[in-house]
């Protein structure tokens, strides 16, 4: 693959991912703002007594959003089956969904807990400020601080990080799993190449992994960690959050790319 081909491929794949990410960033940010309002209103009325219930509801709504994001991404990155069939058997698609959905519960719980713990931290900070300025510890002032920290400008970058990370994970798991099953069914040799964006934001470990090639099923060495593909669900957060890498799948002598114009 030439340098130009690599750059073109990365741009096309990231264009699909960014479109999905932007859509769900708005949904996630709206959810963060909603929860910020719930937490601030609850604090004025009942202190922290209802935070556990709010966290549970927040987790369930985030899980629903991430599930919708995952399903849409799976469909957008559904390629033509290299084995020659028009579509994979349902068990393959179900396997892809099972891999991704197994992480949604943990991810949504982590997001919800972080949201509520941020509110708790804000309350503690306002109480400290209240020791020298009593106004800062008044319920309405504390509630405003909670709302601003969770639902204010910070919510934009947080929502974008969540949306990008989950979209990228779903796209890479989808492509890799389909290629892996194709190799098993057809006996084709599938070579996977790690492609970094190589811009100013790429991690050093990801940059050094650029150009690594492996037979499908064999791990890449990325930042001292084994990864089957970019955004591997089993990899550490430091190797996956806000990841913008791609994997190029080559079936024998034929290069297999997703149809990025149609998104299929």
């Amino acid at each position: 693959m030439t340098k130009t081909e690599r750059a073109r491929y990365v741009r096309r794949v990231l264009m699909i991912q960014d479109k999905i990410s932007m859509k769900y960033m708005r949904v996630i940010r709206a959810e963060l703002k909603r929860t910020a309002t719930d937490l601030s209103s609850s604090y004025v009325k009942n202190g922290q007594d209802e935070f556990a219930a709010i966290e549970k509801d927040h987790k369930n709504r985030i899980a629903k959003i991430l599930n919708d994001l995952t399903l849409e991404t799976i469909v957008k990155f559904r390629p033509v089956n290299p084995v020659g069939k028009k579509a994979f058997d349902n068990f393959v698609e179900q396997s892809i969904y099972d891999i991704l959905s197994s992480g949604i519960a943990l991810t949504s719980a982590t997001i919800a807990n972080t949201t509520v713990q941020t509110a708790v931290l804000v309350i503690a900070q306002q109480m400290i400020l209240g020791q020298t300025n009593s106004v800062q510890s008044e319920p309405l002032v504390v509630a405003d601080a909670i709302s601003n920290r969770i639902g204010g400008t910070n919510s934009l970058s947080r929502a974008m990080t969540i949306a990008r990370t989950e979209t990228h994970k779903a796209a890479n798991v989808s492509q890799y799993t389909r290629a892996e099953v194709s190799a098993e069914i057809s006996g084709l040799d599938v070579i996977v190449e790690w492609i970094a964006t190589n811009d100013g934001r790429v991690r050093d470990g990801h940059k050094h992994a650029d150009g690594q090639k492996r037979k499908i099923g064999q791990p890449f060495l990325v930042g001292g960690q084994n990864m089957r593909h970019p955004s591997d669900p089993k990899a550490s957060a430091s190797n996956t959050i806000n990841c913008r890498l791609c994997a190029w799948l080559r079936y024998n002598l034929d290069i297999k790319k997703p149809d990025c114009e149609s998104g299929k």
Side-chain angles (χ1 to χ4, degrees):
M1 186 197 314
T2 67
K3 190 173 183 178
T4 300
E5 288 175 325
R6 286 160 57 89
R8 186 181 299 121
Y9 175 72
V10 169
R11 285 196 300 270
R12 295 172 72 192
V13 170
L14 293 183
M15 188 181 300
I16 299 174
Q17 294 180 6
D18 285 347
K19 186 176 181 179
I20 299 171
S21 296
M22 289 300 295
K23 173 182 176 179
Y24 284 94
M25 177 276 291
R26 291 188 285 269
V27 179
I28 293 169
R29 190 182 188 195
E31 168 57 26
L32 293 176
K33 286 176 171 289
R34 172 180 176 175
T35 303
T37 299
D38 290 345
L39 288 167
S40 59
S41 298
S42 178
Y43 180 78
V44 172
K45 296 177 182 178
N46 304 298
Q48 300 181 42
D49 292 348
E50 296 182 358
F51 278 18
I54 293 172
E55 179 176 341
K56 181 179 179 181
D57 291 341
H58 182 37
K59 179 192 68 139
N60 291 337
R61 291 193 297 267
I62 285 289
K64 172 63 167 59
I65 293 168
L66 297 185
N67 187 72
D68 291 345
L69 178 156
T70 295
L71 290 172
E72 182 168 338
T73 306
I74 289 174
V75 172
K76 291 290 185 182
F77 280 86
R78 180 181 292 148
V80 176
N81 185 356
V83 177
K85 298 178 181 178
K86 291 184 178 179
F88 285 108
D89 292 334
N90 289 335
F91 88 90
V92 179
E93 298 299 312
Q94 187 63 47
S95 295
I96 295 170
Y97 177 72
D98 288 345
I99 292 170
L100 293 167
S101 63
S102 63
I104 288 177
L106 177 59
T107 301
S108 58
T110 300
I111 291 169
N113 183 256
T114 299
T115 301
V116 172
Q117 289 306 309
T118 299
V120 172
L121 177 61
V122 169
I123 293 169
Q125 291 172 338
Q126 292 299 126
M127 293 303 107
I128 292 173
L129 293 174
Q131 293 175 4
T132 55
N133 181 356
S134 61
V135 173
Q136 295 300 317
S137 59
E138 292 180 358
L140 288 176
V141 175
V142 175
D144 283 343
I146 292 172
S147 183
N148 289 334
R149 180 74 65 86
I150 295 172
T153 55
N154 290 338
S155 65
L156 177 60
S157 60
R158 188 181 178 207
M160 193 71 254
T161 295
I162 295 169
R164 279 179 176 163
T165 300
E166 296 305 306
T167 300
H168 199 83
K169 177 169 63 179
N172 279 283
V173 168
S174 298
Q175 290 179 286
Y176 191 92
T177 302
R178 291 187 180 106
E180 192 170 40
V181 172
S182 295
E184 292 175 359
I185 293 174
S186 65
L188 290 173
D189 290 328
V190 180
I191 303 300
V192 186
E193 180 177 351
W194 190 281
I195 304 177
T197 50
N198 284 327
D199 57 18
R201 294 185 291 162
V202 67
R203 299 169 174 89
D204 286 341
H206 291 184
K207 183 177 182 179
H208 294 153
D210 185 45
Q212 285 187 29
K213 297 178 183 179
R214 299 286 188 273
K215 286 187 176 181
I216 198 159
Q218 296 180 349
F220 295 92
L221 182 61
V222 184
Q225 185 175 33
N226 286 331
M227 296 179 65
R228 284 158 54 86
H229 53 76
S231 296
D232 188 338
K234 295 182 180 180
S236 64
S238 62
N239 258 334
T240 56
I241 291 179
N242 259 335
C243 180
R244 297 174 300 118
L245 305 176
C246 297
W248 178 286
L249 306 173
R250 179 163 58 84
Y251 300 80
N252 287 334
L253 298 178
D254 296 323
I255 300 300
K256 179 63 187 175
K257 301 179 185 178
D259 183 350
C260 296
E261 280 74 20
S262 65
K264 297 182 180 179

